[in-house]
């Protein structure tokens, strides 16, 4: 039997497995704590009118509003936000600002090489535009252009990364994505989880909530009227359209729906995305432990090539934020409480963190939180007009990659709302949903089955085993969609 002294010593040094602040979003806490004197945006009361009414105050809505007033300085722009700006995915994500250069193969398959290159180049240039915007407006959102390490932890992932590197090289973008060895990844990050990987040169790390709240500030400075605590409860699909909130209404020539996962409750968009959780755990500050590691010094992102992707960054105060996609599925594509904090998934993400960094086994986890992701069959955002209502625009489907792309999508939405017929307004992503998911209850039941099989397949592969036929089938089914129902021609 162990002595009491030994037991006490063990208890004192044993890692605390459960994070302390469950559900509390570190990024938002930090951003709001530094906001003394910020302009209040009280709820809409009564009737208002606007040229454009944007629904949703995350990155997409705020970039759209900023693009609108940039292009048309006299435009009257109103943003309606259900809660507070940045409290959706924009304030709670992993802070990975990436382009689509690693998606060139999928983009080329769907849209052809010319459009694939346009989208990849635009998404890359967008990171530069965000960097310039941050500089111009004195925004301190811990932006660091340290690139990203996209690693492979199984043979299947080695093939995915290798294919992306080869496609980028073939299409003349090899300077943006380069092979790196397992040894280099270990030397730069301390993890031994990788077999090989790629260095993605144009990526940046950001404190996501500081960026979202700064966009709110600049939008207000530029004359955008923002009403927080003002959810759209009804949309009158007329021309002009009317957006109704609990205490007011906005009549607007054009409406932009930018409510991300919540947009899936708009009836025309109901089957366009699955709403799933993504969860993050955060360590206590350990700057001394990370001091000699290149990724901590340069702000290099670290993640893998799984479908249920792992993603990590080191914060400015020396914490590791480590997340994983593929969390709870929302019935009927709803945002559910489990998306914001799911104890079982958070524990499993914490276990993954310990597996990636066994040398940090005793480091304490201080926070665990999550958010809702709008997962589209094509894994890329899409923009369109709502049915026959060409004055109601929407964008969703970021599929967990929206920090950088939302600024490009904001430009596309703004150009469409202003009726500008340019390369943004007419790009390949502006053709509406790539497909439709099955109706409920099939969507939820089938989705849960497929996702369980994918999770098991990826775990088997990382243990050096074959995914097996069910695993391989499930991985293909993740992108399954149905074509839109054809309308009967009027009699
Ligand atoms: C945990 C997590 C980690 C992620 N990590 C990354 C990452 O590292 N890199 C990356 O590129 N992407 C990541 N993403 C995805 C990225 O955060 C999103 O794609 C991006 O923030 C989408 O911005 P948005 O403005 O469209 O949506 P949101 O930020 O969700 O904004 C939508 C807003 O609409 C509001 N709203 C909802 N309903 C209504 C209504 N009825 N009326 C008015 N307003 C309404 C909401 O309150 C919300 O503020 C992550 C997402 C999550 C959840």
């Amino acid at each position: 039997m162990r002595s009491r002294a030994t037991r006490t010593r063990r208890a004192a040094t044993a890692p605390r497995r459960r994070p302390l602040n469950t559900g509390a979003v570190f990024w938002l806490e930090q951003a709001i704590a530094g906001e003394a004197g910020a302009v209040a945006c009280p709820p809409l009361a009564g009737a208002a009118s606007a040229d454009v009414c944007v629904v949703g105050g995350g990155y997409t809505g705020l970039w759209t509003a900023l693009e609108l007033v940039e292009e048309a300085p006299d435009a009257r722009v109103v943003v309606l936000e259900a809660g507070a700006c940045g409290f959706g995915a924009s304030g709670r994500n992993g802070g990975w600002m990436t382009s689509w250069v690693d998606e060139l193969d999928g983009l080329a398959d769907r849209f052809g090489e010319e459009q694939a290159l346009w989208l990849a180049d635009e998404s890359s240039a967008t990171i530069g535009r965000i960097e310039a915007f941050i500089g111009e407006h004195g925004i301190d959102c811990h932006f660091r252009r340290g690139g990203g390490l996209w690693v492979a932890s199984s043979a299947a992932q080695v093939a995915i990364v290798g294919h992306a590197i080869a496609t980028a090289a073939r299409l003349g973008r090899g300077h943006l994505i380069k092979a790196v060895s397992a040894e280099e990844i270990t030397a730069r990050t301390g993890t031994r989880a990788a077999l090989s990987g790629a260095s993605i040169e144009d990526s940046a790390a950001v404190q996501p909530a500081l960026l979202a709240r700064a966009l709110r500030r600049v939008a207000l400075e530029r004359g955008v009227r923002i009403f927080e605590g003002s959810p759209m409860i009804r949309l009158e699909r007329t021309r002009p359209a009317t957006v109704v909130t609990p205490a007011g209404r906005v009549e607007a020539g054009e409406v932009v729906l930018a409510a991300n996962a919540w947009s899936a409750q708009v009836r025309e968009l109901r089957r366009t995305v699955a709403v799933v959780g993504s969860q993050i755990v955060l360590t206590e500050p350990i700057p001394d432990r990370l001091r000699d590691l290149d990724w901590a010094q340069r702000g290099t992102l670290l993640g893998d090539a799984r479908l249920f992707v792992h993603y990590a960054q080191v914060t400015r105060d020396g914490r590791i934020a480590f997340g994983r996609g593929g969390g709870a599925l929302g019935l009927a594509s709803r945002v559910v409480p489990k998306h914001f904090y799911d104890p079982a998934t958070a524990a499993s993400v914490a276990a993954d963190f310990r597996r990636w960094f066994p040398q940090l086994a005793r480091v304490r986890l201080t926070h665990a939180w999550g958010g809702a992701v709008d997962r589209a069959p094509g894994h890329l955002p899409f923009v369109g007009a709502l049915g026959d209502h060409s004055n109601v625009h929407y964008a969703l489907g970021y599929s967990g990659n929206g920090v950088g792309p939302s600024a490009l999508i904001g430009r596309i939405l703004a150009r469409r709302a202003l009726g500008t017929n340019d390369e943004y307004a007419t790009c390949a992503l502006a053709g509406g949903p790539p497909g439709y998911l099955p109706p409920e209850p099939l969507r939820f039941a089938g989705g849960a089955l497929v996702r369980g099989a994918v999770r098991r397949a990826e775990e088997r592969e990382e243990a050096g085993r074959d995914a097996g036929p069910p695993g391989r089938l499930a991985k293909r089914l993740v992108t399954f969609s149905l074509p839109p129902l054809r309308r009967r021609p009027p009699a």
Side-chain angles (χ1 to χ4, degrees), residues 55-61 80-98 230-233 258-262 278-280 311 369-374 395 398-406:
V55 179
Y59 297 144
T60 304
L80 297 176
E81 162 55 44
C85 289
F87 277 53
S90 300
R92 49 181 64 241
N93 62 67
W96 268 55
M97 189 178 285
T98 52
S230 303
M232 172 180 85
I233 53 172
N260 195 33
W262 289 271
S278 190
Q279 303 277 317
I280 295 177
Y311 50 91
W369 72 86
V373 167
D374 48 338
Y398 289 104
S399 305
N401 180 7
V403 176
S406 55

Side-chain angles (χ1 to χ4, degrees), residues 272-287:
T272 60
V273 293
V275 176
V276 300
S278 190
Q279 303 277 317
I280 295 177
V281 295
L282 183 80
T283 68
E284 63 185 323
I286 45 166

Side-chain angles (χ1 to χ4, degrees), residues 322-340:
F322 184 93
R324 195 184 70 203
L329 185 63
L331 177 64
S333 298
R334 286 209 180 86
V335 178
V336 295
K338 261 193 173 178
H339 291 148
F340 299 108

